[in-house]
Amino acid sequence: MSYVGPDFDPPQPRRPRRGPLTVAVAALVPGALLGWLVYEAVGGSGGGGGSDRATVRTSPASSAIGTPVSSVAPTSSSPDDGKVPTPTPSSPAASGPLKGKVVVIDPGHNPGNFQHTAEINRKVNIGTNWKECDTTGTSTNGGYTEAQFTLDVSHRLKALLEKLGATVKLTRDTGSPAWGPCVDQRARIGNLAHADAAISIHADGAAAGDRGFHVILPGSVHAGAADTRAIVAPSADLGVRIAGNFVRVTGEPASNYIGDGTGLVTRKDLGGLNLSTVPKVFIECGNMRDSKDAALLTSGAWRQKAAQGISEGIVSFLRAS
């Protein structure tokens, strides 16, 4: 998300880099993640400015924060052919450990938003204030759009979760309307599905040299149509598990420009989170405007790893809930 709109604020001034903190390493496995305790997931004031932070504490046995990401070896078990799996029907498999669980995946933006600026600029109520229905998203310098990236990863993630028996729904898909849906509608899809977990897939559009991923957690909001108080804690748990597995599987470092090296940020200005009544997080998988990250984001093999890391985080959360 790089353009000003419902789910992105203008990039903040770059803060001095802290120590080599990361969210997890190869030693962090789903079993160990069960010991992670989230004591605080609410940052500073909400509204349209600033990024809130989450304070995440881990048990001594499972803590791997502080180990350099360079020591993480990406897994080699994911397919490396770069092909996009054929989307499967939104129905649970006959059996599997996630049978009965519902996951909603929200592929950020829409390729047609560029041609429908009037529609996506319409303001919607996100609880704390009013924001545009949607935005165009960003792209690599070579023209690979965020909307293409998010749908590709979402298809891969959907296939992985359905193999485990989950019912998976997308907020948009191939053949969807030419623009949107609006951020309030995206949240409503997850709510009406009574999702056990929901995730919005994005890629960032920060300055070159800014790289890495970060997971956005909902802050505590109780205003207008928004009330996130019941989902703050489970969403933080979901986000921590996704972050730990994402860095382990992909080798992508935690963001060096937001989140103080933790890979976790709490915000109160995102309609997709504010209006959610089910556990939900956003993930910015990397910076499309940085050459190193762009090389990963445009690789089908790496996108498969991204989907695998996100999937393992969701599976860990669902098995523990």
Side-chain angles (χ1 to χ4, degrees), residues 274-297:
N274 285 1
L275 301 176
S276 181
T277 59
V278 300
K280 184 176 181 179
V281 299
F282 280 44
I283 184 169
E284 299 280 358
C285 295
N287 177 19
M288 300 195 95
R289 295 303 177 88
D290 176 78
S291 59
K292 291 181 179 178
D293 273 3
L296 299 176
L297 297 168

Side-chain angles (χ1 to χ4, degrees), residues 207-225:
D210 290 345
R211 65 169 309 210
F213 80 94
H214 63 277
V215 176
I216 305 175
L217 315 173
S220 183
V221 174
H222 186 211

Side-chain angles (χ1 to χ4, degrees), residues 106-303:
D106 177 29
H109 310 290
N110 187 312
N113 283 356
F114 289 96
Q115 287 77 41
H116 296 271
T117 55
E119 291 88 346
I120 67 170
N121 285 332
R122 177 176 63 85
K123 298 295 181 68
V124 297
N125 189 343
I126 67 166
T128 54
N129 61 317
W130 292 73
K131 279 194 172 183
E132 290 80 1
C133 157
D134 200 4
T135 60
T136 57
T138 187
S139 67
T140 66
N141 293 331
Y144 181 58
T145 68
E146 182 182 0
Q148 291 174 289
F149 169 82
T150 61
L151 187 58
D152 179 281
V153 172
S154 295
H155 281 165
R156 296 171 187 273
L157 177 58
K158 181 175 185 284
L160 290 169
L161 292 171
E162 287 185 335
K163 286 181 180 178
L164 296 174
T167 297
V168 182
K169 300 179 183 297
L170 302 183
T171 60
R172 72 171 178 89
D173 203 346
T174 305
S176 294
W179 58 274
C182 296
V183 293
D184 56 341
Q185 295 171 309
R186 292 173 186 264
R188 191 176 304 120
I189 291 170
N191 298 343
L192 292 176
H194 302 289
D196 296 287
I199 184 167
S200 189
I201 309 294
H202 286 271
D204 215 348
D210 290 345
R211 65 169 309 210
F213 80 94
H214 63 277
V215 176
I216 305 175
L217 315 173
S220 183
V221 174
H222 186 211
D227 187 355
T228 64
R229 292 174 295 178
I231 69 163
V232 166
S235 296
D237 186 25
L238 172 64
V240 167
R241 293 171 188 271
I242 289 174
N245 281 279
F246 191 83
V247 70
R248 177 179 60 81
V249 175
T250 66
E252 173 76 346
S255 171
N256 64 7
Y257 61 96
I258 191 171
D260 293 331
T262 66
L264 298 170
V265 178
T266 300
R267 291 177 62 171
K268 298 181 179 182
D269 63 319
L270 303 183
L273 295 180
N274 285 1
L275 301 176
S276 181
T277 59
V278 300
K280 184 176 181 179
V281 299
F282 280 44
I283 184 169
E284 299 280 358
C285 295
N287 177 19
M288 300 195 95
R289 295 303 177 88
D290 176 78
S291 59
K292 291 181 179 178
D293 273 3
L296 299 176
L297 297 168
T298 54
S299 164
W302 188 87
R303 292 195 299 271

